[in-house]
């Protein structure tokens, strides 16, 4: 396991009097942007030089978060630095960080809560709403380039999140969508309403709270995805052999490290709050849970191997 005194060293730090729900680095800069609960602005910070250990607050950006939503963000390399942000479909903006000028508004209708924002390339953005509504747009042109919904096929009335496969170009990107009831749909970004592959994953119960729902593509393994938010596990799947039939699929590997740590003081099992793949170590995953645990682990799909937590 990780030892705080041995394996973790604070190099830079900053403080704020509100929870941080999201933290994104602005590529090719020393800037980071944080978002928090409803009513909190986006906060822009600057990581100091190597001879200073302070993360300095620079500015704030106003948000339009609704009563039961919080602002999602996405970043991409750009000059000057910009950030895509929004909490509802009709309030998604691209803002220039230094001038705080909104240079693009997506222009969707409706107040559907946003669950995922992302960039397919420096100009193409992807949006997934909690109800399964999805769209792509080019920030150089007004309006959405294409729009669809994974939730309208009766697959699930629960909340959805999504991730775009980073290993493919924007023109033929594959989107993985995950519902809080364990449904997974893979769609071509050019036709977001027509699932190419589907699966029903074994989950102990629907994801709750829904904002911990998370699906990721493995950056260095073809066709592999990972899911979390359903208790204290992270599940890994190979989608190569999937078809469009919605049926139960077996996981390649399940990391149970957080769940075996035991129940919290309140008697509940820890929930995996976030996980992410190492960018080039193809079978290394990082995961964090609601009990404050942080795991870095390797996995294998060999039957005799039960995964190695580093």
């Amino acid at each position: 396991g990780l030892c705080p005194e041995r394996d973790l060293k604070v190099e830079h730090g900053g403080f704020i009097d509100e929870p941080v729900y999201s933290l994104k680095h602005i590529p090719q800069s020393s800037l980071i942007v944080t978002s928090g609960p409803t009513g909190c602005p986006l906060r822009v910070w600057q990581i100091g030089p190597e001879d200073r250990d302070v993360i300095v607050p620079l500015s704030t950006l106003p948000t339009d978060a609704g009563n039961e939503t919080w602002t999602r963000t996405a970043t991409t390399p750009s000059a000057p630095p910009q950030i895509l942000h929004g909490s509802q479909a009709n309030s998604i903006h691209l803002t220039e960080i230094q001038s705080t000028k909104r240079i693009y508004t997506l222009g969707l209708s409706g107040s559907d809560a946003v669950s995922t924002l992302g960039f397919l390339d420096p100009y193409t953005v992807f949006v997934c709403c909690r109800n399964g509504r999805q769209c792509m747009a080019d920030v150089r042109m007004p309006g959405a380039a294409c729009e669809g919904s994974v939730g309208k096929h009766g697959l699930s009335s629960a909340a959805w999140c999504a991730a775009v496969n980073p290993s493919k170009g924007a023109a033929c990107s594959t989107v993985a969508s995950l519902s809080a009831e364990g449904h997974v749909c893979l769609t071509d970004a050019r036709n977001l309403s027509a699932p190419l592959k589907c699966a029903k994953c074994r989950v102990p119960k629907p994801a709750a709270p829904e904002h911990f729902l998370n699906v990721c593509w493995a950056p260095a393994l073809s066709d592999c995805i990972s899911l979390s938010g359903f208790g204290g596990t992270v599940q890994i799947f190979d989608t190569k052999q999937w078809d469009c039939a919605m049926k139960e699929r077996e996981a390649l590997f399940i990391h149970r490290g957080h769940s075996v740590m035991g129940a919290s003081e309140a008697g509940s099992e820890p929930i995996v709050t976030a996980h992410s793949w190492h960018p080039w170590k193809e079978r290394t995953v990082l995961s964090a849970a609601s009990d404050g645990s942080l795991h870095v682990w390797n996995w294998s799909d060999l039957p005799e191997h039960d995964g190695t937590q580093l």
Side-chain angles (χ1 to χ4, degrees):
L2 293 173
C3 175
E5 293 77 14
R6 181 194 65 202
D7 300 315
L8 302 176
K9 177 185 176 183
V10 176
E11 294 188 353
H12 297 82
F15 299 92
I16 191 173
D17 292 329
E18 62 196 35
V20 174
Y21 285 4
S22 171
L23 184 151
K24 294 291 177 64
H25 173 244
I26 306 297
Q28 302 174 2
S29 79
S30 59
L31 302 177
I32 58 176
V33 178
T34 60
S35 64
T38 299
C40 296
L42 296 180
R43 298 189 182 275
V44 182
W45 307 73
Q46 184 167 37
I47 302 173
E50 293 184 0
D51 59 346
R52 296 190 62 194
D53 61 0
V54 178
I55 300 177
V56 182
L58 290 184
S59 61
T60 60
L61 304 175
T63 63
D64 302 322
N67 291 332
E68 298 182 359
T69 62
W70 58 278
T71 301
R72 312 293 174 139
T73 58
T75 61
T76 189
S78 60
Q82 302 167 354
I83 187 162
L84 182 72
H85 58 96
S87 63
Q88 297 176 325
N90 57 5
S91 63
I92 299 173
H93 311 284
L94 184 65
T95 298
E96 189 176 279
I97 289 179
Q98 293 174 335
S99 67
T100 70
K101 178 183 178 182
R102 289 180 176 176
I103 57 178
Y104 175 80
T105 297
L106 190 54
L108 295 176
S109 61
S111 57
D112 305 317
V114 173
S115 60
T116 306
L117 287 179
F119 280 93
L120 280 69
D121 61 36
Y123 303 107
T124 309
V125 300
F126 170 77
V127 180
C128 177
C129 295
R130 194 182 300 168
N131 61 3
R133 180 186 182 188
Q134 297 179 347
C135 77
M136 285 175 48
D138 189 318
V139 298
R140 296 166 296 186
M141 297 181 288
C146 65
E147 187 170 347
S149 176
V150 291
K152 72 177 185 179
H153 299 282
L155 297 176
S156 173
S157 59
W160 289 83
C161 69
V164 179
N165 192 339
S167 65
K168 299 181 179 180
C172 56
S173 296
T174 303
V175 178
S177 303
L178 170 66
S179 84
E181 294 178 349
H183 297 113
V184 180
C185 295
L186 305 186
T187 53
D188 189 311
R190 295 165 294 187
N191 189 355
L192 295 169
S193 292
L196 303 174
K197 299 181 178 182
C198 297
K200 178 66 173 73
C201 305
R202 292 180 184 175
V203 296
K205 56 184 178 180
E210 295 167 346
H211 57 262
F212 291 151
L213 198 63
N214 191 19
V215 56
C216 297
W217 287 94
L221 290 174
S222 177
D223 300 306
C224 273
I225 62 172
S226 53
L227 320 175
S228 67
F230 307 96
T233 65
V234 179
Q235 300 185 52
I236 296 174
F237 293 85
D238 184 350
T239 67
K240 287 188 183 71
Q241 304 302 319
W242 291 9
D243 53 30
C244 60
M246 180 59 70
K247 59 184 180 182
E248 193 169 278
R249 314 282 182 173
E250 292 291 334
L252 274 181
F253 180 81
I254 302 177
H255 176 65
R256 306 181 189 274
H258 296 283
S259 59
V260 301
M261 298 294 287
S264 65
E265 294 181 359
S268 59
E269 177 186 280
I271 300 174
V272 174
T273 56
H275 77 272
S276 180
W277 291 77
H278 192 283
W280 61 84
K281 293 183 178 180
E282 60 183 24
R283 291 177 180 265
T284 299
V285 183
L286 293 80
S287 56
S290 55
D291 61 352
S293 58
L294 172 66
H295 292 180
V296 184
W297 43 279
N298 289 334
W299 67 277
S300 171
D301 53 355
L302 297 177
E304 67 273 14
H305 188 84
D306 61 356
T308 302
Q309 184 182 317
L310 301 181

